[in-house]
Amino acid sequence: MPLEDAVVEVVNRLLTSRQRYKVMTDESKGDAIAKALFDERFANGIALTSIISQSKKWLRANIFTPAEILKQMDLHGGTLNYQGISVLNDVESAAYKGSKRRFRNRVLCTPACLQRMAKVLEDKGDSICPFKQIKTDFGEGIEFDYAKHTRLVIDAFGLTDTGQERSINVSASIDAAKVTNNISHTSAGLKMSDTGGCDPLKKMRSFMSDGNSLRDLQS
């Protein structure tokens, strides 16, 4: 029997071997086992480094995934960028006093890793909602595939089936700003204003409050 299986079997048998353990709640048992694993006395201390390493791998695979970090960076604007991630990497590496072996096993991936994932997501985005660079009489611009763009927004707000039964309210939107004395920008697009829509991020009705009044017309 592999050692990891033997350890699991011993702990499972221990939980049912004594009455005091049987009456403990599952949460209390879990807390006690977790504390034991991180105790330097556990397995005479030889497992602590590996336990921490496995914990980091789980966090990277299930919580701090590159895609999720990029998503939150996008949703929260400039509050977190690649430089900020690099600072957090430095905080973690400083705790290990320059140990290169541990330094490679991070909780948070590096900016380079995020940039590679960003390229993957950009390529995926190009296939879902493609756009192209164009030149106009007023300067450079980008142009989306309007048919795919509109369908994507309708699908995201959960109105695909509704659109087969009735008309859907979609509003046109335009904005402009002067960036410098010589540079300005103009943008135009569409935003969902149908009260039957479901916010794709919050997973709730987008525009209706308790008083059945329009709450938010941004998309």
Side-chain angles (χ1 to χ4, degrees):
M1 178 185 297
L3 179 57
E4 58 267 30
D5 293 341
V7 172
V8 171
E9 183 176 315
V10 169
V11 172
N12 288 342
R13 189 163 57 246
L14 177 64
L15 292 176
T16 58
S17 63
R18 297 185 181 181
Q19 184 61 30
R20 62 175 298 188
Y21 299 149
K22 292 180 181 179
V23 299
M24 292 174 65
T25 65
D26 289 345
E27 183 177 359
S28 296
K29 293 176 184 177
D31 287 342
I33 294 171
K35 289 178 181 178
L37 290 176
F38 282 91
D39 192 314
E40 293 183 352
R41 297 172 298 171
F42 180 78
N44 296 320
I46 65 173
L48 183 58
T49 299
S50 295
I51 290 171
I52 294 174
S53 177
Q54 289 296 322
S55 299
K56 288 184 177 183
K57 289 180 181 178
W58 188 92
L59 288 170
R60 286 198 307 272
N62 297 278
I63 306 297
F64 300 110
T65 65
E68 184 60 31
I69 292 173
L70 288 170
K71 175 183 176 181
Q72 295 303 323
M73 288 171 64
D74 183 53
L75 292 176
H76 293 85
T79 57
L80 180 63
N81 53 27
Y82 291 136
Q83 186 175 1
I85 293 293
S86 182
V87 171
L88 293 175
N89 288 156
D90 290 342
V91 171
E92 184 177 3
S93 63
Y96 291 111
K97 300 177 181 179
S99 173
K100 295 298 182 180
R101 181 172 63 86
R102 290 179 174 178
F103 185 73
R104 297 190 185 99
N105 184 28
R106 305 174 184 274
V107 174
L108 295 178
C109 57
T110 63
C113 173
L114 290 176
Q115 289 169 336
R116 289 193 295 271
M117 176 55 69
K119 183 61 171 63
V120 173
L121 294 176
E122 287 173 4
D123 292 341
K124 181 66 175 178
D126 286 342
S127 66
I128 297 175
C129 190
F131 68 92
K132 61 182 178 180
Q133 292 181 300
I134 60 173
K135 289 186 177 296
T136 71
D137 295 338
F138 305 99
E140 297 180 347
I142 60 173
E143 184 178 60
F144 287 90
D145 184 318
Y146 298 120
K148 284 190 175 182
H149 183 197
T150 304
R151 179 60 181 268
L152 180 65
V153 172
I154 291 173
D155 288 346
F157 279 83
L159 292 169
T160 302
D161 293 336
T162 302
Q164 298 175 1
E165 302 172 357
R166 64 169 176 83
S167 298
I168 296 175
N169 293 322
V170 179
S171 301
S173 177
I174 188 169
D175 188 23
K178 191 172 184 179
V179 182
T180 68
N181 288 334
N182 300 316
I183 301 176
S184 61
H185 84 82
T186 303
S187 60
L190 61 86
K191 58 185 179 182
M192 183 58 62
S193 55
D194 194 289
T195 56
C198 180
D199 191 311
L201 296 178
K202 298 179 181 178
K203 305 301 182 184
M204 59 184 292
R205 289 289 295 278
S206 302
F207 311 115
M208 301 301 289
S209 68
D210 292 338
N212 288 332
S213 60
L214 289 176
R215 173 173 63 85
D216 187 0
L217 286 176
Q218 296 300 319
S219 65

